[in-house]
Amino acid sequence: MRILLLVSAFNGLTQRVWCDLKENGHDVGVLLAPVHDEASMTEAVDEIAPELILCPFLKHRVPESIWGRYPTVVIHPGAVGDRGPSSLDHATLDGRDRWGVTALSAVEEMDAGPVWATKTFAMPEVPIAKSALYNGPVADAAMDCVAEVLRMVAAGERPKPAEEWPVEVAGTGELPLLRRKAFEIDWSAPATEIARRIAAADGAPGAPATIDGMTYCLFDAATTTEDNPGATPGTVVGVDTDAVAIATGEGTLWVGYAATLAAKRGPKLPAAWVLETEHAPYRAMPEALAESTYEREGDIGYLTIRSYSGAMHTQQCHRLTDAVRKALVEDTAILVVRGTEHAFSNGIHLGVIEAAPDPAAEAWDNIRAIDELCLALAEAEQLTIAAFTANAGAGGVMAGLCADITVAREGVVLNPYYDMGIFGSELHTWGLPSRVGNEKADELLGAKLPISAAEAARIGMISDLGPREAAAFDGWLRALAKSYVEPEAYVPALAARESRRACAMPMSYYQSIELAEMARDIFDDRYGFAAKRKAFITKAAPTETPAKIRF
């Protein structure tokens, strides 16, 4: 089919739908919909003349001039009967144990059209950030809905009114848009309730809170049951690395990221950089916020890395490199490096770079620090396995390719590099070509477009593809690692690793070439890195659809 994705942004879900449709042989294009320009939007759609319009991420109504003439299906992150722009916010705040995604026809009223498909899922017992919820369970359910829509369209079937669908999860009707004020924190509440509020507002609009007379937005929360006798709720009571502990009415709240909130919100930065922690004692953060955790099962070591939204700033890269090196001195045969089920890595931290007094100097330090992480993997003596447990981009993808064996969870989207005005580092001039060949590597690096994990496996960019469901993938990954302990698998894997390295120059050769290019991009700004970085951080609305994703 000729399918148009009419969207507000080419975000993670849109990219996943785009990849899936293209790989299944459909003729797919994207149109970034202007918010207040119905005429130009309609004209652009008429020029495309799609057989089907899908809206996996659209913030405003589709005009009748479009849905009245083309079959238009909106993917709404809510159960049947749910309407409104803050569906996931309400579901998290209300403590729903199940929620859903619904594919419905666009009509005059938002989210009120007949239903093509719906899929429900279990909400996490411990609330997770809205962005993690959206890119995980919501995206998985959305893909199932898209597949059903395509089947129905191909079969000539039509959607049914919402009232004819069995109610598996009760929708809530039309609920209001939740603005920042709705997430305001009351420090006398239990820590678990506050963490739920922060999760519902993360990453936008953020939960506002007053601490020591200053107003902030808080993100990336976790809790402990430890009380703080004598501490006034809302008082900073501990710090560990970038995370900050705050007393509440019951238990302790930990936050990993924060932003100042005055006339407008400041940049999201590690919480210890934003909140006043000068007199706060050290206290060990909960494991949920730990940058890395290590466990060992016989001859296999498992290093799990965690970074908020996948971004890794300079100091964090240094700490993760130390964690990798420490794991490599263990008496094990295999090291598995994996992300969490919600994030792997997107490389350097553009937000910290943008907020730095000297952004160019910070970018340079960040690039060199992530290079050290890549070198630790690329030059390891043990057999290394990297697992893309969730979406990855830019330096995060290239770091994973530095391992001997790289695998991914089904449904993961990989962005080899973004169009950010920089050449790229992370040993990508070795890691990618050594897997897919020079010609394919040039194609991927030139296109700067996402690919699915399934496509990455097909072209040899990754070694294997595991189950979509997180728990099943964890079991699959452990079984895979154990299989490589056996000599009949371990010896050939080491031989393949040595062959890959034997065909390469020293790693310092690739690093030197990449850093020479990066220096010109960072300090001379030859391709507009500064402006593109700022637009990315501020989520500036694009003025037009990039040619590479249009019809």
Side-chain angles (χ1 to χ4, degrees):
M1 277 186 281
R2 185 170 174 82
I3 303 174
L4 173 66
L5 302 183
L6 183 64
V7 295
S8 297
F10 196 49
N11 71 341
L13 178 56
T14 301
Q15 291 177 20
R16 189 167 168 184
V17 173
W18 182 82
C19 288
D20 185 79
L21 294 177
K22 286 179 69 69
E23 289 159 19
N24 280 285
H26 297 286
D27 185 14
V28 188
V30 176
L31 177 62
L32 299 182
V35 178
H36 302 297
D37 195 349
E38 179 179 329
S40 65
M41 190 194 313
T42 303
E43 181 182 354
V45 172
D46 285 341
E47 289 179 2
I48 295 166
E51 296 173 74
L52 174 66
I53 298 175
L54 291 175
C55 306
F57 178 68
L58 190 63
K59 293 182 178 180
H60 53 277
R61 289 178 176 83
V62 180
E64 185 177 3
S65 56
I66 292 176
W67 61 257
R69 297 161 58 202
Y70 303 94
T72 304
V73 180
V74 175
I75 309 300
H76 173 64
V80 173
D82 177 80
R83 296 169 58 191
S86 298
S87 179
L88 293 181
D89 312 48
H90 284 289
T92 299
L93 282 178
D94 294 346
R96 293 292 192 117
D97 58 358
R98 288 194 73 81
W99 199 232
V101 173
T102 305
L104 40 82
S105 289
V107 294
E108 184 63 31
E109 294 184 71
M110 284 190 75
D111 310 326
V115 173
W116 291 80
T118 187
K119 178 76 173 181
T120 65
F121 56 87
M123 291 282 282
E125 290 185 18
V126 177
I128 60 175
K130 180 172 58 179
S131 55
L133 182 66
Y134 181 82
N135 287 317
V138 170
D140 287 345
M143 295 305 297
D144 291 340
C145 287
V146 168
E148 177 62 8
V149 169
L150 295 180
R151 185 200 66 77
M152 290 177 66
V153 171
E157 299 178 24
R158 301 299 303 161
K160 297 185 298 185
E163 54 269 21
E164 294 184 18
W165 282 82
V167 178
E168 184 179 347
V169 175
T172 51
E174 185 166 6
L175 292 175
L177 169 68
L178 293 178
R179 300 190 184 277
R180 187 175 292 146
K181 181 72 174 175
F183 300 99
E184 195 165 13
I185 288 173
D186 174 6
W187 289 114
S188 66
T192 52
E193 180 182 319
I194 296 172
R196 180 178 297 279
R197 189 166 293 275
I198 293 173
D202 198 334
T210 300
I211 302 173
D212 292 332
M214 300 287 290
T215 307
Y216 304 92
C217 272
L218 304 183
F219 308 88
D220 195 26
T223 66
T224 61
T225 57
E226 184 179 9
D227 284 323
N228 303 278
T232 303
T235 302
V236 172
V237 293
V239 63
D240 182 0
T241 317
D242 289 343
V244 176
I246 304 170
T248 72
E250 181 182 317
T252 302
L253 179 83
W254 283 84
V255 290
Y257 267 69
T260 56
L261 185 59
K264 62 179 182 178
R265 197 184 82 185
K268 284 192 284 187
L269 297 171
W273 302 12
V274 177
L275 306 179
E276 178 54 58
T277 61
E278 183 179 357
H279 302 294
Y282 168 80
R283 185 185 288 187
M285 73 174 79
E287 188 173 298
L289 292 184
E291 288 178 343
S292 66
T293 57
Y294 180 79
E295 61 176 299
R296 178 172 174 173
E297 291 183 1
D299 289 329
I300 307 168
Y302 293 91
L303 180 68
T304 302
I305 62 174
R306 179 190 184 275
S307 53
Y308 178 64
S309 297
M312 305 190 303
H313 59 76
T314 301
Q315 295 94 318
Q316 186 176 13
C317 287
H318 288 314
R319 292 192 292 264
L320 290 174
T321 301
D322 289 342
V324 169
R325 288 173 174 158
K326 183 177 180 181
L328 288 170
V329 300
E330 290 277 322
D331 182 23
T332 54
I334 298 171
L335 173 64
V336 178
V337 179
R338 61 189 176 186
T340 67
E341 66 179 275
H342 309 305
F344 184 78
S345 171
N346 292 319
I348 61 175
H349 201 309
L350 297 177
V352 167
I353 291 169
E354 181 66 18
D358 186 343
E362 176 58 33
W364 183 248
D365 288 345
N366 204 168
I367 282 292
R368 294 175 66 194
I370 198 172
D371 274 6
E372 292 304 308
L373 174 61
C374 294
L375 283 166
L377 286 171
E379 297 177 338
E381 292 186 7
Q382 288 159 306
L383 187 70
T384 55
I385 301 174
F388 291 124
T389 51
N391 294 349
V397 172
M398 300 309 168
L401 298 185
C402 287
D404 303 322
I405 299 163
T406 306
V407 299
R409 184 156 63 105
E410 182 186 352
V412 160
V413 174
L414 304 175
N415 272 279
Y417 271 121
Y418 308 106
D419 188 10
M420 201 55 62
I422 48 179
F423 179 78
S425 191
E426 300 95 10
L427 305 180
H428 77 272
T429 53
W430 163 72
L432 187 58
S434 70
R435 292 174 180 268
V436 302
N438 291 324
E439 185 176 344
K440 190 64 177 180
D442 288 344
E443 177 188 326
L444 292 169
L445 294 170
K448 292 182 172 60
L449 286 171
I451 65 170
S452 70
E455 175 66 6
R458 189 188 68 79
I459 64 176
M461 182 173 160
I462 64 173
S463 310
D464 211 343
L465 193 65
R468 187 177 81 173
E469 200 273 323
F473 180 79
D474 181 67
W476 176 88
L477 179 62
R478 289 177 185 274
L480 178 77
K482 288 177 183 176
S483 73
Y484 275 104
V485 173
E486 301 301 322
E488 58 267 27
Y490 188 74
V491 173
L494 280 183
R497 189 265 297 282
E498 294 310 313
S499 176
R500 184 187 182 205
R501 292 182 179 180
C503 294
M505 303 291 283
M507 291 298 120
S508 58
Y509 169 84
Y510 303 101
Q511 186 183 27
S512 297
I513 290 175
E514 293 166 5
L515 289 178
E517 297 289 345
M518 289 292 285
R520 298 178 64 192
D521 295 335
I522 290 172
F523 295 109
D524 298 339
D525 200 24
R526 58 177 174 172
Y527 296 128
F529 173 49
K532 290 180 179 181
R533 181 184 67 237
K534 186 176 184 66
F536 180 86
I537 293 301
T538 59
K539 292 181 169 58
T543 56
E544 61 180 3
T545 306
K548 61 186 179 180
I549 57 175
R550 293 200 307 255
F551 273 112

